[in-house]
Amino acid sequence: MARRRAGTPPLLQLSLLLLLCPGGTLGCALVAVGSPVVTLGSAVTATCTIQRELCQGLEQGKVRISWMLDNKPVAGSQRQGPGGTEVSELTLPQFNRTQARLWCCVEWNGTKQRVAVAEIRAGYPPAKPLNLSCVLNLGDYGLTCQWEQGADSHLPTSVALKCAGSTAQAVTGCTPRGGHNHCTVPRPLLQLYREMEIWVSVTNALGTAESEHLCIDPMDVAKLDPPTLRNIQSIPFQTDCVALAWEVARGTEHMELQCELRYRAPEDPAWSLVTGIVGRAGTAQRCGFLFGTRYHFQLRCRRSSALAFWSEWSPGRNYTTHEKAPSGKLDAWWGARPAGAGGQLEVQLRWKAPRRHEANGQVLGYRVTLSPRRRGRNPPTVCNTTHTECNFSAPTGTRRVYLSAYNAAGESAATEVVLLERKGEPLAGLWAEPGDISSLRVHWEAPPAPVAAYVLEWQRVTSEPGHCSACWQMERDGAATAALIQYGIEPFQRYNISLYPLYKDTVGMPIHTAAYSQQRAPSYAPKLHLRSISKSEAELCWEPLPVEVQNGFITNYTIFWANSMADMASATVNPSLSSFVIRGLRPSTLYKVHIMASTAAGGTNGTSLTLVTTVLDDTEIQFLFLTLGLAFLLLILLLICFQKNERVKEQLWPSVPDPANSSLGKWVPAVLPQEPLLVPAAREPGPAAISTVTVLEGAPGKPPGKEPPGPPAAPSALPRPYVRQDGPGEPVQYARVGGAGYRGQRLLPESGPRFYENLRGRGDGAGDWWVPEETPASFPLLQGLRIGGAEELHECRAD
């Protein structure tokens, strides 16, 4: 219950809501401001008065007044006013908003309500209008005036054009609409042929401003309609003059007019103006026109008054003056050389087209002759062309040719071209600098001898040189030391320039230079190539850049290289070089290399080249291969020596018979009883056992010992007879002697043994078996025995 009593009673809440209604604040609260419109940035004062008896629900309790500027709270002071009122005063020292609402609010029992409001605007006094001018339209005789508005005042402003006669009061002539800065005064408010005063008045809440007063006769500012050009023709007796006939606009025939004429040819950059043409209508004359030239003419007029406005220019009219034969001399330049054994001289003649004031019309062609034209004689023509160059042959010794130009009206006087000899020393110095992006200024040092004229030649440098017939000019001032080249010059292109001094009787030798009108970085850098590499050095090479992509003079090349450990280095190379050796590299290391080409305007990087250094140098590799080669050669020599020396061979590789390759190894054994064979002790140190004696019988029709060799038979554990299986007919048996062999056998002291004729070896690697010359009776079967194969086989039997 206590909490409920502490709240706002329902009746009081309803009373507060009534304050929000328009009728609830009527007479309850009032906001008064010092001025609703103030200068921007000035102070603003306001007062809010609350009458308790008129505010329902606020009769009891304390009333708190607060302020809000739009939605921003501002602080004011509150006091007790007369008659039980509550008064709050507010001062804003600097009001910086062009428009705002100032609210007076009541705070009672924790609730804030807006009970009164005041609108405040801020701005500046109106600015003075400028440049007032008026024009009278002869169509409806309305005076249209316009002006320039001043600075914005940020306040509602009213603008009016005021006018007043010499005896009449000032009236509002017109009011602009839609924020425009012009309006038209109607004819009834104007006094024609009488001076009137006209001005612009601008007013807002902070003041009024007026433009300068314009005192004019409306007819003095009348703008006439443009005149009309009727006819243009040349004056017969003055061939460089023309006469123009024109008419004024309708309605202006009675006025004194002042007119202007303008004309120009298509090649002219600006109009030529003729002033001071006075009169109502008629003709006008003008001289100094070029022959055979097409001109465009226009005319305009105004009243003879300082304040009068010019009419618009009349519709244009074209006229071409008549032609005359070309005049003046042609600038010519030549080159001559002998044509060989024919006794002719090859001449290349170039010349400049005549200037506009010398052409006197359209040039149809040029004629070159070897002798001047005389009355009644036409010399033979060696060249007749529409171009400005000609190549022809002349007899040896020709020193003069004659050049002329012609048009539809005639031919010019011949220009004598003297083919002077070129000799002497060239000039001391020649240099060029950019004039702008399309011109070059050339300077040179004057020679000690007097010069009649100079000839400048220039040629664009390309990979495929060409010839430019127009890329030359003659400087006729012999004292000049500079000239400007303006024809055919492009930025980022190199030009070779040559200068020839022309003396009285000869042509000096030329001096040359090169120049750019503008430079930039090269289009791309050269491509690197690896020429050679070792463990510590790498030689790189590149092709020079084509002149078309250099875009300037190459000042230097810069080589950059870096390894995987981020060790980076660089070197600057002279532009005349096309190779470079990088030194101090690490063995067996990968490097990234690239090149940068630079001009005075910047540099361009090329693509990277990857290379890996070697482990050994070339000399080390050569020494290693030489050492291995010598060792191999020594080994070959040793092998050859061992192969040739039998004693060394016998000591190192003794000849051992191979029983497996003997003819006995090719027989299949047959089981036969073994019989021991004892050898007498007198002949042998020990008994020798003969396992088997087999009688060999040859097959009919075959010589013994001629059978083809067969595959070797597998050795048997016991000695046994062998039977040959591959021959036809009956098997042939043979005897095999087995035992300990003859290793270590002692020979008899009697006469030395000799080999039997039928026991010669076959040379198949088996040893020759032998028996003593005197065989004991105990060896009857060994007589005539052949072991290991023989050329002939004999029957073995005992006596």
Side-chain angles (χ1 to χ4, degrees), residues 547-615:
V547 68
E548 292 89 348
V549 302
Q550 291 184 13
N551 300 329
F553 294 108
I554 300 297
T555 56
N556 59 74
Y557 294 106
T558 306
I559 311 294
F560 299 89
W561 64 91
N563 57 21
S564 57
M565 293 177 288
D567 294 336
M568 182 176 291
S570 64
T572 302
V573 183
N574 192 286
S576 62
L577 301 178
S578 60
S579 63
F580 180 73
V581 178
I582 304 176
R583 307 181 189 278
L585 302 179
R586 297 183 178 184
S588 187
T589 305
L590 184 142
Y591 284 89
K592 293 252 184 207
V593 186
H594 74 273
I595 187 172
M596 180 177 70
S598 302
T599 65
T604 302
N605 288 322
T607 57
S608 296
L609 174 67
T610 302
L611 53 90
V612 179
T613 54
T614 60
V615 179

Side-chain angles (χ1 to χ4, degrees), residues 292-313:
T293 304
R294 181 174 178 267
Y295 289 94
H296 187 72
F297 295 88
Q298 284 183 308
L299 188 71
R300 68 178 181 178
C301 298
R302 69 176 181 179
R303 285 194 65 194
S304 298
S305 170
L307 298 178
F309 287 91
W310 289 102
S311 68
E312 299 295 333
W313 288 102

Side-chain angles (χ1 to χ4, degrees), residues 356-397:
R356 285 182 55 198
H357 65 277
E358 296 175 342
N360 297 333
Q362 182 180 0
V363 175
L364 300 179
Y366 303 91
R367 185 176 287 110
V368 180
T369 61
L370 298 181
S371 60
R373 184 180 58 206
R374 293 183 176 88
R375 182 178 299 177
R377 283 182 52 190
N378 289 327
T381 301
V382 295
C383 191
N384 190 355
T385 179
T386 58
H387 302 290
T388 56
E389 62 175 332
C390 179
N391 297 332
F392 59 90
S393 297
T396 302

Side-chain angles (χ1 to χ4, degrees), residues 110-128:
T111 303
K112 180 184 291 187
Q113 300 293 338
R114 297 178 180 182
V115 294
V117 65
E119 292 278 348
I120 302 176
R121 298 183 67 98
Y124 300 104
K128 179 180 178 180

Side-chain angles (χ1 to χ4, degrees), residues 132 168 271 370 397 421-422 458 505 519 584 655 706 734 752 759 761 789:
L132 174 64
W271 292 89
L370 298 181
E421 183 182 359
R422 296 183 182 181
W458 62 95
D505 298 323
Q519 300 187 55
S655 180
K706 298 297 183 180
Y734 71 96
L759 297 179

